[in-house]
Amino acid sequence: MSKTLVCIDMANLYYYLEKKGWTVDWAKFKTYLTSLYGEIIFIFYEGIRCAPHFMQKNPGASWSDYHKEVKDKIQYFRKLKEMGFIIETKYTNHIPAPFPKKPKNKCNFDVEITIDALSRIDSFERFILCSGDGDFLRLIDHLNLKQKKTLLIYPKDRTSDKLKHSTTEKSFSLGSIKEIVKEQVIPT
């Protein structure tokens, strides 16, 4: 029996990390959590920008620029897989909006994370959710009822207070472990 299941909702962490100006070194993250909790299954959920989303963010970009981004993202996922992460991905949804509003781009993994947690419920004792999305409150409540230990690693400025206080173990912010898990930038 695997003791811990970790689900990383990268879409939820992305804007926090972008705002704070740092990135996670996922090998360090994995090593850190494994040192705390032992045997772990890591599932990493992240979207790939659809073409309209890419073009909106990069005016004047070419199709070859878009294909390069997709290729780079796939290579990134390959590296995570080599580190032992299970990868779940899909393309973002580009949702047009009437002028003057800007179109929205969404890539939610709420359903996938919930299904993965529930389908693996007999294989873990502890569930760690890396997200601050309040939509996961029912999942955490359900896991608590099933006698699972639950905790969050959350983006400090983007987390539901109800969710934060619903876990059975003390949750902590991603920023509180920044010095342990951040990617080191090599000066050029």
Side-chain angles (χ1 to χ4, degrees):
M1 173 193 246
S2 178
K3 303 266 190 227
T4 301
L5 175 64
V6 175
C7 291
I8 302 163
D9 180 5
M10 191 58 197
N12 188 262
L13 303 179
Y14 174 81
Y15 293 106
Y16 166 80
L17 290 167
E18 183 180 59
K19 179 181 174 186
K20 298 297 182 183
W22 64 282
T23 57
V24 174
D25 179 322
W26 294 108
K28 290 179 182 179
F29 183 85
K30 182 180 179 187
T31 299
Y32 176 69
L33 288 187
T34 302
S35 74
L36 294 177
Y37 303 111
E39 187 182 349
I40 300 178
I41 293 173
F42 289 88
I43 308 178
F44 189 90
Y45 303 82
E46 185 174 6
I48 298 173
R49 282 195 268 197
C50 65
H53 182 188
F54 176 82
M55 297 305 182
Q56 176 192 344
K57 287 282 193 183
N58 302 285
S62 68
W63 278 105
S64 64
D65 295 330
Y66 172 67
H67 290 294
K68 181 183 179 331
E69 178 175 280
V70 171
K71 185 178 173 185
D72 290 347
K73 185 65 89 167
I74 290 168
Q75 182 62 31
Y76 172 69
F77 292 146
R78 204 172 281 135
K79 287 179 182 176
L80 288 172
K81 210 174 208 177
E82 288 169 5
M83 287 186 249
F85 289 81
I86 297 167
I87 307 301
E88 294 292 337
T89 187
K90 61 185 174 183
Y91 284 91
T92 58
N93 289 319
H94 185 75
I95 304 162
F99 184 79
K101 294 182 179 180
K102 288 186 177 183
K104 290 185 178 184
N105 298 287
K106 305 272 300 170
C107 193
N108 291 332
F109 282 96
D110 301 10
V111 171
E112 291 85 347
I113 290 170
T114 300
I115 289 172
D116 285 345
L118 295 177
S119 67
R120 288 178 163 87
I121 200 163
D122 294 330
S123 68
F124 64 87
E125 296 169 5
R126 176 181 291 108
F127 178 73
I128 300 175
L129 176 63
C130 299
S131 180
D133 188 339
D135 290 342
F136 290 114
L137 184 59
R138 296 244 351 240
L139 172 62
I140 296 296
D141 287 345
H142 180 76
L143 294 174
N144 292 342
L145 286 172
K146 295 293 183 181
Q147 308 300 307
K148 301 299 178 181
K149 298 173 186 170
T150 56
L151 70 106
L152 295 178
I153 299 173
Y154 57 88
K156 192 172 184 177
D157 305 341
R158 302 178 56 87
T159 302
S160 158
D161 283 335
K162 271 187 174 178
L163 182 65
K164 209 183 309 182
H165 299 294
S166 68
T167 60
T168 60
E169 294 190 322
K170 184 165 174 40
S171 297
F172 54 92
S173 72
L174 187 58
S176 72
I177 59 170
K178 175 182 176 182
E179 295 309 314
I180 299 167
V181 303
K182 77 176 177 179
E183 190 169 77
Q184 297 300 317
V185 177
I186 299 169
T188 55

